[in-house]
């Protein structure tokens, strides 16, 4: 006798296979797009505006090692979602197309960065980045709207794309700063570009970092640690880059360190408050039983 859910599993085999293929294609394209096989490395692409010392909010080079974790998670997710339980999951049916889109958009960003002319590369990368951010926000909303069915799903689906979202929040700030610097005629590594209304570059960077910290506080309310950890990682490496290195700006470095601390403290505070409320709820339910 055929299992009642087996037909649905078979129907989802093609979308699951396409998602796995998207992951493989994205990783291959990303390898080429990052300059591993003769292309231009990202830090040297787009006239150097995407390097670790290009703007006051550029993270230090080691920050980008987070991609190793994200890519490992994407590969794990791509394999896991092929299994029957994941193929038959309504949650994964909703998540799968957005996950595949996020993989391909990352590869698209890396290819856009390969364009030699900054006037083309920077607007293109910014456009792709904004679409990618929107896709990851949609994924995050889907994960929040439906509970994970297993620990594997929480780690590979919620965890992977949560890290991805948190890092892209920081990367979007860096990409926007690079584009703005180019439009204002600043050269990569310029600590004091001419900004509108006489605004100092350090002051502008601190405002941007405060906004990033605010986004982290908002994400903390969802009680999801993955995006907070990725944001704190990126902000921490901005702090490291500005406190020591070719583009030293102590006030920006301290602001970035404070932003990272606020993001982590917000997550911890929400978790502790949630932990204190849970026993009270259980006690209330028992009292009324």
């Amino acid at each position: 006798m055929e299992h009642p859910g087996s037909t649905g599993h078979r129907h989802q085999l093609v979308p699951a296979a396409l998602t796995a293929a998207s992951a493989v294609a994205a990783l291959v394209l990303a390898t080429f797009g990052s300059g591993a096989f003769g292309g231009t490395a990202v830090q040297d692409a787009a006239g150097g505006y995407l390097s670790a010392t290009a703007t006051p909010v550029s993270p230090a080079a080691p920050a980008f090692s987070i991609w190793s974790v994200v890519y490992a998670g994407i590969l794990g997710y791509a394999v896991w979602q092929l299994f029957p339980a994941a193929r038959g999951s309504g949650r994964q049916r909703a998540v799968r197309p957005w996950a595949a889109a996020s993989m391909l958009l990352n590869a698209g960003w890396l290819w856009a960065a390969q364009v030699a002319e900054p006037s083309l590369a920077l607007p293109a990368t910014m456009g792709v980045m904004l679409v990618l951010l929107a896709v990851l926000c949609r994924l995050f909303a889907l994960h929040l709207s439906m509970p994970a069915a297993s620990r594997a799903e929480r780690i590979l689906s919620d965890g992977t794309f949560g890290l991805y979202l948190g890092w892209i929040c920081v990367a979007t700030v860096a990409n926007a700063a690079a584009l703005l610097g180019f439009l204002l005629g600043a050269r990569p590594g310029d600590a004091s570009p001419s900004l509108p209304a006489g605004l100092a570059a350090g002051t502008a960077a601190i405002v941007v970092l405060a906004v990033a910290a605010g986004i982290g506080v908002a994400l903390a309310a969802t009680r999801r640690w993955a995006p907070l950890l990725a944001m704190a990682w990126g902000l921490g490496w901005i702090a490291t880059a500005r406190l020591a290195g070719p583009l030293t700006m102590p006030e920006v470095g301290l602001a970035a360190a404070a932003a990272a601390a606020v993001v982590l403290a917000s997550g911890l505070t929400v978790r502790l408050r949630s932990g204190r409320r849970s026993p009270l709820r259980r006690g209330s339910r028992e009292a009324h039983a």
Side-chain angles (χ1 to χ4, degrees):
M1 181 180 293
E2 189 176 66
H3 190 280
S6 61
T7 301
H9 293 176
R10 284 201 303 271
H11 287 169
Q12 288 301 312
L13 181 58
V14 172
L18 289 173
T19 300
S22 296
V24 174
L27 293 176
V28 171
L29 290 170
T31 300
F32 279 91
S34 64
F37 294 101
T40 305
V42 172
Q43 64 266 25
D44 300 321
Y49 281 94
L50 300 174
S51 72
T53 57
T55 74
V57 291
S58 296
F64 298 93
S65 62
I66 194 174
W67 279 115
S68 299
V69 180
V70 173
Y71 285 147
I74 285 174
L75 282 175
Y77 171 80
V79 173
W80 169 82
Q81 57 92 42
L82 288 169
F83 285 89
R87 292 206 312 270
S89 164
R91 189 179 195 245
Q92 286 305 311
R93 281 197 294 272
V95 163
R96 197 172 281 118
W98 297 97
S102 74
M103 300 168 192
L104 295 174
L105 282 165
N106 175 61
W109 186 92
L110 286 165
W111 278 88
Q114 289 289 309
V115 178
E117 178 53 51
S119 62
L120 296 176
L122 293 174
T125 54
M126 191 70 239
V128 174
M129 185 74 80
L130 290 175
V131 175
L132 174 56
L133 182 60
V135 167
L136 289 171
C137 286
R138 175 59 179 161
L139 264 172
F140 191 65
L142 287 170
H143 281 137
L144 290 176
S145 66
M146 296 173 277
S150 65
R151 182 183 296 273
E153 185 171 20
R154 283 195 297 273
I155 294 172
L156 294 173
S157 190
D158 300 54
T160 294
F161 293 103
L163 281 175
Y164 197 175
L165 171 62
W167 172 253
I168 292 301
C169 285
V170 176
T172 300
V173 169
N175 207 146
L179 176 58
L180 180 61
F182 172 76
L183 293 175
L184 293 174
R187 300 301 305 163
D190 187 354
S192 55
S194 177
L195 299 182
L199 183 65
T203 302
I206 290 170
V207 171
V208 169
L209 291 168
V211 171
I215 293 170
V217 171
L219 287 172
T222 66
R223 293 186 294 175
R224 299 298 178 98
W225 271 105
L228 302 183
L229 292 174
M231 284 196 72
W233 171 266
L235 291 167
W237 281 109
I238 292 173
T240 300
R242 299 294 82 79
L243 290 173
L247 185 58
T248 302
M249 300 177 71
E251 72 282 9
V252 176
L254 292 173
V262 166
V263 170
L264 291 176
S266 298
L268 184 59
T269 300
V270 169
R271 180 58 61 92
L272 290 174
R273 287 178 176 174
S274 175
R276 283 200 297 267
R277 285 197 298 266
S278 295
L280 292 177
R281 290 197 188 103
R282 286 197 296 270
S284 178
R285 284 197 296 269
E286 290 168 1
H288 288 85

